[in-house]
Amino acid sequence: MIEKPMRHLPLLAVAVLSACASKPADWRADYYEVETAKPYADVMAELELAITEQNFRITGHNKIGSVIRQRDQIDFPDYDTLQFCNLTLARQMLEIEPAAVAWMPCNVAVRFERGRTRIMVHLLPETTQNPSLDDFARGMNDKLRKIVDFAAEN
């Protein structure tokens, strides 16, 4: 007697779905985003101040929107990214988990959309297989949220 392959499909689906559901998120990060009516230039200035107030050094600034406007001579909205790092914190993180270098440097993105300025930062993953890294990430994410919130405050 030959069994029909479709007969085991529901059982296989349940096994696969339950296996996926039971795995903890690993190296998955979220974004923290805030919108403000504050003018774009003011947000950028406040971000630079907030970054330095949290003892980070700005390592890069990409003025994507203005470069596209200039290069293509078109009306294009503002988009910027600021990269920043604190070497003491970077060392701590890398001593905990060398592969965490993939999350460096920190990066905040700013864009102007529908008359509002939006600020977004990529948070570090807090649910890895390494409890020490998770603790470090929670502290770092608190700093990142403070930077964004400061820049967005009116």
Side-chain angles (χ1 to χ4, degrees), residues 64-136:
I64 301 162
S66 64
V67 171
I68 290 172
R69 273 195 305 275
Q70 184 178 35
R71 184 195 68 188
D72 297 342
Q73 298 180 355
I74 60 171
D75 184 27
F76 199 82
D78 283 314
Y79 289 88
D80 284 77
T81 61
L82 288 172
Q83 295 77 41
F84 52 99
C85 190
N86 173 311
L87 287 178
T88 302
L89 294 173
R91 180 180 174 182
Q92 289 173 8
M93 183 172 74
L94 295 175
E95 286 173 345
I96 294 168
E97 176 55 65
V101 71
W103 297 99
M104 296 170 60
C106 296
N107 187 57
V108 64
V110 183
R111 69 184 187 276
F112 193 71
E113 185 176 27
R114 292 187 298 264
R116 310 268 299 169
T117 302
R118 299 182 67 86
I119 312 158
M120 182 171 58
V121 68
H122 195 214
L123 300 174
L124 297 174
E126 296 180 6
T127 55
T128 69
Q129 300 297 321
N130 185 334
S132 296
L133 182 61
D134 296 346
D135 289 341
F136 179 87

Side-chain angles (χ1 to χ4, degrees), residues 9 13 27 35 44 98 117 131 148:
L9 190 58
W27 291 91
E35 183 178 285
M44 291 303 298
T117 302
V148 171

